[in-house]
Amino acid sequence: MAALAPAHAQETNGTPAAQDNGEIVVTARFRTESLTDVPIAITALKGDTLAAQNLNTLQDIAQTVPTLDFRAGSSNKDRSTFIRGIGTITTSPGVEPSVATVIDGVVLARPGQSTLDLLDIERVEILRGPQGTLFGKNASAGVINIVSKEPARQLGFNAQLGIYEGGEYRVRLGASGPIGDDWGFAVTGLLGGFKGNVRNVTTGDWVNGYDRQGGRAKLVYRPADNLKFTLAGDYVFTYENVPTGVFVSTSRVAYPSGTVTPNADLAAILAASGIVPGANNTRVAPSFDADVRDKNYGGSFTAEIGIGDHTLTSITAYRGWKNRQHQDWDSVGPLTAATARGEDIGKVDSDQFSQELRLTSPKGKLIDYVVGLYYFHTVARERYQRGVTRLVAGTPVFDLGVANYRTDLDNYSVFGEANINFTPRFRAILGGRLIHDDLAYEHARVATTATGVAGIRPSYSSSGDTNRTDFSLRAGLQYDLSDRLNLYATYSRGYKGPAYNVFFNMQAFDVNPLAPETSNSFEAGLKGSSGNGAVTYSLAAYLTKFQGFQANFQDTYLGTLVTRLINAGDVSSRGVEGDITLRPVQNLRLSGAFAYNDAHIDQFLCPASAGGACANVDGQPLPFAPKWKFHVDGSYRVPVTDTLGIDLQSDFSWKDDTQYSITQTPDTVQPAYGIWNASIGLVSDAGKGWEIRALIKNIANQHYSPAIGYGAVAGVSRFVPRDNSRYVGINANLNF
């Protein structure tokens, strides 16, 4: 294990993530470097190849990357990503994610912002382990670094069309090229939709679908070789009608006793609607279709100025996020004495501003470095309304709760990371970030109930603020055994700042701030390739221990499920990762990647407000942390003419049993499953090139769920993925 923790360069469909003279290149350390030179565990994926395989979001990508996982939800507000089994599950605006998402150098404030469409990107880099030294404080588990495309050197146009079984389509049009000698531009527009693969038997509509429109534009000005100015902007609007009540079971199974508690009322309601709960149920019966509207947008100005042989980079950015939700709280239609009927209306308005200034030295001297200053400000305003109707002595009684709350965060930091080159082959790595956070919140709830009813607590208001100064750290050694073989070992300290559990049903014991989440991580890595690139490989081992882990804890209030954010205690993640890519003959490429990850709870701290009603979960797995996961793929180009070929591609992903709840309930476990996909494409290299590709997803028709949880009122429900069942489609890509 003395030589493990790779820069893992995953490729898809025979095309590397990014290339420069045959080398895969990344910008994981704010400079363009060969992936084999970077002492960080990285997965790099090419944007065009992801689009060709209908992988357009982080949820899609998570299936193909063994160390990445994704939690589905009823809207972007409820979704999040995990790296090596570590992530943040919460809807509170007073907490940041453990996995940071960065778009062209701009960190996104909320987990929900990171689930946007991957529109017109050059590549996605997934950096594993604490990355707070260079990428900011909310990167205690890792970073997803999204890099958009630069303007092309020659004027060109691109048209992509995808049509898929089940009423799904995707149209993308783009143009890119120079404007005179000093200017360049790139602009892309997107239109897509999916009618859904779940049936609402009450309304008769297909749901679990989406409509999406958006665009991205970039303008680059290069008045001199050492000057570059970039103005970039993007906007994506998404409408979704994802249901929350796709029931797996009307009973619940307790942990650790295994006691089964049935709900006869829910069972009767579903039976009357003709719904049979089960692991592949795709029918729901809410009173109305869910309606979620999401706007994700922003702009940035980047200046890169050469000062001698150094580069000064300034990134000034603003991002906005607006989320509107209208959902059926109880997930069923009828009002009965045992089951109340509820309606939720939510609104999120989030704005952020950031300014980064950094200085990058040239490579090749005794010390090369990146140093910088960073400022980040975000304001999140939310309004959540819940109306609940109950039958009391046969008479309907209506109660309403409305909460308005907001959080304000200011983050200041100074950072740097350096290589100390003892020899051309042997170097030390040393970096750190000094961080100061100011966090404040306000909360006010008005309710018509004085004692509380199912799903609504009484009127309540509070406010508070906290601040913290802390640090991230990275240190290590790196040795190049040869030009094509790299060995390194590192230690990192991760940090995620204090938090508040601010949400609709906030209570008096939520006013105390959560302590920061910190981690200590040890990695060692080996990666290399043959001289002609016929074989590339990497192997990794890591051990990360987290203190003050910020996690959601499930509780009940008047028979209703309530979740709240707590410092859950100590957890750890340890494992081995590896990958290999083979090109044994011309036009044939085979690759595979695997991850063994033991992410579990070391010591769970039961919150005092639970009254000691916590089961002992020490030693149990963390949510969304399968122990084993692997992905294999292969492609072969059959030449037809000098410029025309037939491209054959297939891939298979396998995922171990996965627990989706920190409370370890047996009925929230997704059994192991595998997904097999394939495609065949006709590819032309003549002119600027074109491609027509037919694909088939989930060939074996393997049903699964990316998230299983308890319903708000009763039962166990699941979210249904796009590829829950086999489907086919065609992608066309034309460059001219």
Side-chain angles (χ1 to χ4, degrees), residues 376-648:
F376 182 89
H377 172 73
T378 182
V379 178
R381 298 167 297 277
E382 297 199 22
R383 182 186 187 275
Y384 208 83
Q385 171 183 311
R386 175 168 294 162
V388 175
T389 303
R390 300 169 293 137
L391 277 181
V392 180
T395 302
V397 176
F398 178 75
D399 286 289
L400 179 67
V402 180
N404 288 277
Y405 43 98
R406 65 176 284 166
T407 59
D408 295 72
L409 169 68
D410 285 285
N411 169 248
Y412 312 84
S413 60
V414 55
F415 64 91
E417 185 167 297
N419 291 322
I420 305 172
N421 301 294
F422 302 122
T423 72
R425 293 188 180 274
F426 182 51
R427 66 197 63 88
I429 307 142
L430 183 62
R433 176 180 288 253
L434 183 63
I435 303 161
H436 179 77
D437 288 312
D438 288 319
L439 176 64
Y441 85 91
E442 298 174 357
H443 181 277
R445 181 176 62 248
V446 177
T448 58
T449 170
T451 58
V453 300
I456 303 176
R457 291 184 179 272
S459 299
Y460 174 76
S461 64
S462 67
S463 61
D465 62 84
T466 186
N467 61 80
R468 179 80 174 221
T469 300
D470 215 306
F471 67 96
S472 297
L473 180 67
R474 178 174 169 84
L477 296 173
Q478 182 180 15
Y479 183 66
D480 301 331
L481 298 172
S482 69
D483 291 340
R484 296 282 179 170
L485 188 60
N486 177 273
L487 172 68
Y488 71 90
T490 60
Y491 161 77
S492 300
R493 183 185 191 266
Y495 170 77
K496 187 175 74 166
Y500 278 109
N501 185 33
V502 187
F503 70 121
F504 170 67
N505 270 326
M506 189 177 184
Q507 303 162 78
F509 50 71
D510 291 313
V511 300
N512 296 322
L514 276 70
E517 177 182 289
T518 61
S519 61
N520 291 282
S521 180
F522 301 88
E523 297 181 355
L526 175 70
K527 50 187 175 177
S529 66
S530 64
N532 59 4
V535 181
T536 60
Y537 53 89
S538 65
L539 191 62
Y542 57 89
L543 168 63
T544 307
K545 289 185 172 290
F546 290 79
Q547 297 79 39
F549 184 62
Q550 297 171 354
N552 249 10
F553 173 75
Q554 290 186 354
D555 200 356
T556 57
Y557 173 71
L558 296 178
T560 301
L561 184 69
V562 177
T563 61
R564 60 178 181 269
L565 193 71
I566 63 170
N567 285 118
D570 298 338
V571 304
S572 61
S573 174
R574 69 199 74 201
V576 179
E577 308 160 346
D579 70 274
I580 187 169
T581 300
L582 304 172
R583 297 177 179 83
V585 297
Q586 187 177 5
N587 297 332
L588 175 63
R589 178 191 161 280
L590 304 170
S591 71
F594 80 93
Y596 170 78
N597 179 44
D598 179 15
H600 63 260
I601 303 163
D602 295 325
Q603 183 180 24
F604 183 79
L605 300 179
C606 183
S609 55
C614 300
N616 182 5
V617 295
D618 291 357
Q620 298 301 312
L622 285 170
F624 298 88
K627 275 200 172 181
W628 287 97
K629 193 175 176 183
F630 70 80
H631 177 77
V632 294
D633 65 68
S635 65
Y636 182 65
R637 176 72 60 86
V638 181
V640 177
T641 67
D642 290 342
T643 60
L644 189 67
I646 297 174
D647 189 66
L648 307 175

Side-chain angles (χ1 to χ4, degrees), residues 284-348:
V284 295
S287 305
F288 55 89
D289 296 337
D291 182 345
V292 178
R293 300 168 190 268
D294 193 277
K295 297 179 181 179
N296 201 332
Y297 54 92
S300 64
F301 177 73
T302 302
E304 299 170 79
I305 303 170
I307 303 175
D309 53 3
H310 289 64
T311 301
L312 180 67
T313 302
S314 170
I315 304 176
T316 307
Y318 163 80
R319 292 206 66 87
W321 179 45
K322 299 185 183 301
N323 181 276
R324 304 292 185 265
Q325 307 168 57
H326 182 205
Q327 296 169 330
D328 190 320
W329 170 69
D330 54 291
S331 300
V332 293
L335 175 63
T336 70
T339 302
R341 186 166 58 203
E343 180 180 15
D344 287 350
I345 298 175
K347 181 175 76 170
V348 178

Side-chain angles (χ1 to χ4, degrees), residues 199-205 273-275 283-286:
R199 194 75 166 184
N200 184 343
V201 300
T202 302
T203 64
D205 298 329
S273 301
I275 295 175
R283 290 161 62 87
V284 295

